[in-house]
Amino acid sequence: MLHDMKIRSIEVLPCYPKSNYVKITTESGLVGWGEPVVEGRARATAQAVEEVAPQLIGKNAGDIEDNFNILYRGNFYKGGAVLNSAISGIEQALWDIKGKHFGVPVYDLLGGAAKAKQKVYAWIHGSTPEAMADSAQRRLAQGYKNIKMNVTNEMEWISGHERIEAASALLGAVRDRVGDKLEIGVDFHGRVHKTVARQLMREIEQYNILFVEEPVLPYNEEDLLDLRRSSSIPIATGERLYTRWDFKKIFRLGAVDIIQPDLSHAGGLWEVRKISAMAEAYDIAVAPHCPLGVIAFAACLHHDLATPNAFIQEQVIDVHTTADGGALGQQPGGSSSGGGNRPPAAVEMYLKENTGVYTFEDGFVLKPQSPGLGIEVDEEKLREDALKTDMPTWSHPVWRMDDGTVTEW
């Protein structure tokens, strides 16, 4: 058994336009896939994977706790987005191998499924209230029960009421169109400074908001206490926190209702399962952040199915690939995007047939049964594109205020 899972090689390949895939191969030929990336810093993360990979060659892929500690504790300098994301993608691939070795889905190795299906939400977009309402109506028609939206663009340190009213108008248009048939999460994206965040949260309370995400930047967590006192909207944060040690500060603060660790950033599947168990002890819900590809989504889904307090899952595989925002795989109500029963073209080109396909039902994704993470990558296509020099890549935009100062995207 040890020889069967002994790591022979670790290789990272770009997954255009935004991500990386890491391939880990054992001496027996078992292959596991993970998704290590920092959005906008894919190349730096790939380099970090290549730098730490030699530490695991010859190790047992199934010893996931020890392998994590080799990569995390075995380095004097710990933490940070790039290093932790490199570790996260490698760790996902190790779980994929272990599940395939034993012929079971990864959630079975995490204590077994705690539920039969996982609630998901989809994004809506629009630059005008009417366009945002149209997007919400499409999601409702697709069978979703939960959506999320941005309501702000560039924000001053202190903003006039015009921007607050514009944000409120977007939400008002959605509520007018779909009523209470959709639960709405709102992402402030860390764009809003504490004084304006307080004003904005009070203004949008009238729309029965499911949660407000990153009302302030993650390292201004002390401001969350004030926001919680001034508004009844549940507060969510955590996509830019790494490992249980960052989240420990949030739990002690006692100012959030939902944490949002990212399984491609926070340390991987097992590390986020530990974070979620800590959250459960503090009576805090979990909604993993997932703005990435199908492997990251698969890791999230297996985590969620084994985690009682994982109440909802972000899925945005479609968000940058289809004009009408079609969802991943089989659609609620029988419709689909990208053709047939498969993900949209920009994602599906790196998947083999009949993998990474999930059944959506009434706002949930049903429990998959395939071993490992259930993903088989079209490696030939992935390698073919990796050699090209004209493939599109993604980076963060730089936003400036009217006076020229750089502001949060």
Side-chain angles (χ1 to χ4, degrees):
M1 183 180 297
L2 177 62
H3 178 75
D4 193 37
M5 286 198 286
K6 187 176 181 180
I7 296 172
R8 183 176 69 202
S9 63
I10 299 176
E11 184 180 14
V12 62
L13 295 163
C15 178
Y16 295 105
K18 193 177 186 181
S19 198
N20 299 310
Y21 285 172
V22 62
K23 177 188 178 184
I24 300 183
T25 307
T26 68
E27 293 288 355
S28 66
L30 275 175
V31 172
W33 292 93
E35 191 165 352
V37 68
V38 178
E39 300 91 293
R41 296 292 182 267
R43 292 176 182 173
T45 313
Q47 184 64 45
V49 172
E50 292 177 355
E51 188 163 26
V52 303
Q55 295 178 272
L56 295 188
I57 301 302
K59 301 294 191 298
N60 180 9
D63 292 339
I64 294 173
E65 179 75 31
D66 188 58
N67 290 329
F68 174 88
N69 284 321
I70 288 171
L71 298 182
Y72 186 80
R73 295 184 185 275
N75 288 278
F76 182 77
Y77 293 100
K78 300 173 175 64
V82 171
L83 178 58
N84 278 318
S85 297
I87 294 172
S88 298
I90 291 171
E91 195 263 11
Q92 292 168 9
L94 297 179
W95 280 109
D96 194 25
I97 288 172
K98 193 165 188 174
K100 289 173 180 175
H101 173 82
F102 288 107
V104 297
V106 166
Y107 59 75
D108 270 351
L109 302 176
L110 301 175
K115 60 190 81 168
K117 54 187 179 180
Q118 177 60 43
K119 185 188 299 181
V120 296
Y121 67 81
W123 275 85
I124 64 170
H125 297 276
S127 57
T128 66
E130 182 178 8
M132 194 72 83
D134 288 344
S135 184
Q137 190 170 25
R138 285 193 295 270
R139 290 303 196 192
L140 182 61
Q142 290 172 338
Y144 285 98
K145 306 297 182 184
N146 298 268
I147 57 173
K148 191 169 79 175
M149 57 189 287
N150 287 128
V151 294
T152 60
N153 290 320
E154 302 92 334
M155 297 295 288
E156 297 273 11
W157 289 82
I158 303 293
S159 292
H161 203 70
E162 180 181 354
R163 290 183 182 270
I164 294 174
E165 288 179 344
S168 183
L170 292 173
L171 276 163
V174 171
R175 277 284 176 238
D176 288 344
R177 183 73 64 85
V178 301
D180 292 327
K181 295 177 182 178
L182 290 173
E183 296 283 358
I184 304 173
V186 176
D187 190 357
F188 283 11
H189 218 246
R191 297 169 181 168
V192 186
H193 298 280
K194 62 179 182 179
T195 304
V196 181
R198 183 169 60 245
Q199 296 173 300
L200 186 52
M201 287 180 69
R202 286 176 178 170
E203 172 65 26
I204 66 176
E205 274 188 326
Q206 61 185 301
Y207 301 116
N208 299 321
I209 304 304
L210 184 64
F211 59 82
V212 166
E213 178 176 332
E214 281 201 323
V216 292
L217 286 169
Y219 300 113
N220 291 339
E221 61 262 17
E222 64 278 2
D223 296 326
L224 296 174
L225 281 170
D226 180 47
L227 294 176
R228 196 175 199 191
R229 295 187 190 107
S230 63
S231 174
S232 63
I233 301 175
I235 293 175
T237 197
E239 68 184 62
R240 289 185 267 189
L241 301 179
Y242 315 107
T243 74
R244 73 203 90 149
W245 291 280
D246 269 4
F247 280 90
K248 180 173 67 173
K249 303 171 188 176
I250 292 291
F251 296 143
R252 285 179 172 175
L253 186 66
V256 301
D257 305 282
I258 304 161
I259 57 162
Q260 299 172 300
D262 189 307
L263 275 75
S264 283
H265 301 328
L269 208 155
W270 187 232
E271 182 66 13
V272 172
R273 184 65 188 91
K274 291 178 180 180
I275 294 166
S276 298
M278 293 170 67
E280 186 178 8
Y282 282 90
D283 203 24
I284 292 173
V286 181
H289 180 246
C290 188
L292 298 170
V294 69
I295 298 179
F297 177 77
C300 288
L301 184 57
H302 284 269
H303 162 273
D304 298 346
L305 288 168
T307 304
N309 55 327
F311 89 106
I312 199 166
Q313 176 60 56
E314 178 176 24
Q315 74 88 15
V316 295
I317 290 174
D318 58 295
V319 77
H320 300 300
T321 59
T322 59
D324 65 350
L328 169 68
Q330 178 64 35
Q331 291 291 332
S335 62
S336 63
S337 64
N341 193 32
R342 307 199 50 212
V347 175
E348 72 173 355
M349 64 184 180
Y350 296 129
L351 293 182
K352 289 184 179 179
E353 293 286 346
N354 301 317
T355 69
V357 176
Y358 303 100
T359 300
F360 283 66
E361 181 180 275
D362 200 30
F364 289 83
V365 176
L366 301 188
K367 181 173 63 178
Q369 302 296 332
S370 301
L373 294 176
I375 298 298
E376 294 296 335
V377 172
D378 186 343
E379 189 175 343
E380 182 179 352
K381 177 63 175 174
L382 189 66
R383 291 184 181 279
E384 178 184 328
D385 285 352
L387 295 174
K388 295 178 181 178
T389 59
D390 60 346
M391 293 295 289
T393 56
W394 185 88
S395 60
H396 296 99
V398 176
W399 283 2
R400 294 182 182 272
M401 299 305 302
D402 291 340
D403 64 2
T405 55
V406 174
T407 189
E408 297 291 333
W409 169 72

